[in-house]
Amino acid sequence: MVPPSTKTNVYKNWERKRYNLTSSQRDRYRQISHESYQAKQLAEQGKLAAIHAINIPNLDPTVLMPQLTASSYATLSLFSGGGGLDLGFEQAGFQHSGSYELIPICGQTLQANRPQWQVCSGPEQGDVTRVDWQPYRGQIDVVQGGPPCQPFSVAGDQAGADDERNLWGEFVRAVNTIEPKAFVAENVPGLMSTKFKSFVQMYILAPLPNYHIMKFELNAVEFGVPQIRRRVFFVGFRSKQVAQTFHIPQPTHVWSEPSKKQQLTLNFATLASVKQPTMGVRGALGLPDIGNDAIAPTLRSGFTGKRNTTSILNSAASQKNWASLQIWPNGVQKDRQAAAAFPAKNGHFRLSVQDCAILQGFPESWQFQGAVYQVLGQIGNSVCPPVAYQVAKAVRAALESQKN
Ligand SMILES: C[S@@+](CC[C@H](N)C(=O)[O-])C[C@H]1O[C@@H](n2cnc3c(N)ncnc32)[C@H](O)[C@@H]1O
């Protein structure tokens, strides 16, 4: 096991390497940041006319995950981040037994929202590599977590097992020590690529021989979240019978462009009879009708892009999608008042962290702690809670089917 101090240094070195900029790039970023700072100063002094009203969102993500009755099933959360998976499991009626997370601000978010939860965060309490899981043995029904995805993300180097941040071994160690009835692990779709086929076999499937494991991909847009966000899930059950009763969550929602709704009346009507329509971004955020709406491109994950950035841009290509929605994806503000008072140069709508949270499926009541870039990091790293909810609900149904 790598000592924590060394791990931290490795992480810092990796970050330094990753954000190595040429001097002209650095000058350009400085200039943009200077211009943006000046515009923000003017906005704060009330010298810029507010060009958009404060929006009132139409989408309340709690409707996508109505609270289920409490069950007696206990969950333990590893790599908890800002709580996407934890919230989904809670809504599905699981009893929260503890969260383990390295970054202190994530722990603060969890504790601020759920003071009654046991939250272990920071390098001393929250680092899963240092936890002895024995006391949890036999006490937990479901272990859940999303080991860091950077080693497998197409946005990174895809070094897999050679990346120090590959912590699948720690997830496996927790499951094998605790021996829960089931586990749920989440990651980026990159992990399903042929490149990682032997990694999955060697580091996930083979070391968990006592579990019957299913892997599948879900897209958040198919569960009512106005964002294209594909994620891979590994669900394992100790009992073969229980595993056989598990059903992969099926889409509950469907997105159809408003312009196409007319042409596809028949199809849409057929689909709508079993699936609800997913709202577009503008509809979800309560923005004025511009005759065009769409699903958001994937929001940037917390550890890609420029350090401490307040942008949600995941790729240069997605800039075009945001522009067609007349939404400015950079310089996200701490609240809607600040966003309305700081118009984007091109007149497009400026986002607040609350808007980004809704686009990720977090209810407005879930309050993230930290500076804007830290909140965006927690949002972008999370499993959309309505998706987590569907997986948790399916796991619960399987466990309940064999109860008697
Ligand atoms: C993909 S995110 C998890 C997101 C979370 N499941 C959610 O739905 O919001 C991975 C998390 O693992 C955390 N992490 C990385 N190394 C860790 C370690 N050694 N111990 C505990 N947490 C760690 C990161 O800080 C990050 O928040």
Side-chain angles (χ1 to χ4, degrees), residues 7 77-86 100-103 106 126-129 144-149 165 167 186 303 362 378 381-384:
K7 261 177 164 321
S77 159
L78 274 63
F79 311 105
S80 314
L85 267 176
D86 292 13
Y100 286 83
E101 164 57 52
L102 187 62
I103 300 178
C106 298
D127 183 348
V128 300
T129 64
Q144 53 92 345
C149 48
R165 293 160 303 163
L167 291 177
E186 167 271 344
F303 292 100
F362 280 92
Q378 293 171 68
N381 255 350
S382 67
V383 178
C384 297

Side-chain angles (χ1 to χ4, degrees), residues 112-392:
N113 286 285
R114 296 292 181 267
Q116 74 279 19
W117 281 5
Q118 186 200 319
V119 176
C120 302
S121 67
E124 296 300 321
Q125 311 288 327
D127 183 348
V128 300
T129 64
R130 309 175 85 178
V131 181
D132 172 10
W133 301 110
Q134 277 294 339
Y136 287 108
R137 195 182 181 94
Q139 307 295 313
I140 300 296
D141 297 294
V142 182
V143 168
Q144 53 92 345
C149 48
Q150 297 89 341
F152 317 99
S153 170
V154 285
D157 301 333
Q158 293 200 298
D162 296 333
D163 190 318
E164 257 88 6
R165 293 160 303 163
N166 164 33
L167 291 177
W168 272 96
E170 290 299 328
F171 185 82
V172 165
R173 179 175 72 87
V175 171
N176 281 336
T177 309
I178 297 169
E179 294 191 337
K181 292 189 176 74
F183 72 80
V184 172
E186 167 271 344
N187 225 270
V188 285
L191 194 52
M192 291 288 242
S193 66
T194 18
K195 180 176 171 129
F196 292 120
K197 206 171 168 195
S198 57
F199 174 93
V200 168
Q201 184 55 38
M202 200 183 304
Y203 292 92
I204 305 175
L205 306 181
L208 290 165
N210 298 332
Y211 286 84
H212 303 272
I213 304 174
M214 282 140 286
K215 49 182 195 295
F216 53 91
E217 186 183 300
L218 300 178
N219 192 337
V221 68
E222 295 184 322
F223 297 92
V225 178
Q227 186 191 153
I228 296 161
R229 191 174 191 85
R230 295 163 51 228
R231 284 297 181 266
V232 161
F233 291 85
F234 291 78
V235 175
F237 292 94
R238 237 179 36 226
S239 148
K240 190 174 177 185
Q241 282 104 314
V242 176
Q244 281 168 342
T245 62
F246 176 76
H247 297 291
I248 295 172
Q250 293 305 300
T252 54
H253 286 67
V254 62
W255 161 249
S256 173
E257 282 175 43
S259 56
K260 290 190 184 154
K261 271 184 193 156
Q262 309 299 328
Q263 304 154 24
L264 298 177
T265 315
L266 224 160
N267 258 348
F268 190 72
T270 318
L271 287 170
S273 65
V274 285
K275 294 174 193 162
Q276 302 282 319
T278 297
M279 285 185 192
V281 175
R282 293 193 67 92
L285 297 181
L287 306 184
D289 188 358
I290 56 165
N292 165 40
D293 206 351
I295 295 303
T298 310
L299 267 56
R300 185 183 66 82
S301 124
F303 292 100
T304 55
K306 262 195 309 151
R307 196 164 24 167
N308 296 359
T309 180
T310 53
S311 167
I312 53 161
L313 264 191
N314 190 38
S315 65
S318 63
Q319 174 93 55
K320 213 169 68 214
N321 304 73
W322 289 109
S324 74
L325 283 163
Q326 298 186 17
I327 292 176
W328 184 244
N330 307 304
V332 173
Q333 296 296 292
K334 67 177 189 326
D335 57 38
R336 295 198 174 98
Q337 282 78 3
F342 182 24
K345 261 192 201 164
N346 58 4
H348 288 181
F349 176 81
R350 192 184 285 275
L351 293 159
S352 61
V353 289
Q354 291 77 16
D355 292 331
C356 298
I358 286 181
L359 298 181
Q360 187 81 359
F362 280 92
E364 197 94 22
S365 57
W366 191 261
Q367 304 268 313
F368 288 95
Q369 304 295 300
V372 169
Y373 78 91
Q374 292 171 311
V375 175
L376 293 181
Q378 293 171 68
I379 293 173
N381 255 350
S382 67
V383 178
C384 297
V387 176
Y389 172 79
Q390 293 294 338
V391 176

Side-chain angles (χ1 to χ4, degrees), residues 29-95:
Y29 283 135
R30 254 192 224 119
Q31 190 195 339
I32 293 172
S33 144
H34 180 65
E35 283 173 12
S36 167
Y37 175 76
Q38 283 187 321
K40 195 166 179 201
Q41 293 286 98
L42 290 174
E44 279 171 1
Q45 292 159 18
K47 292 184 183 159
L48 288 183
I51 53 155
H52 61 73
I54 294 172
N55 57 310
I56 301 173
N58 290 317
L59 176 64
D60 171 6
T62 45
V63 303
L64 304 173
M65 43 180 183
Q67 179 70 59
L68 299 185
T69 51
S71 75
S72 59
Y73 297 122
T75 54
L76 186 72
S77 159
L78 274 63
F79 311 105
S80 314
L85 267 176
D86 292 13
L87 182 55
F89 269 85
E90 183 190 60
Q91 290 296 109
F94 283 81
Q95 304 301 318

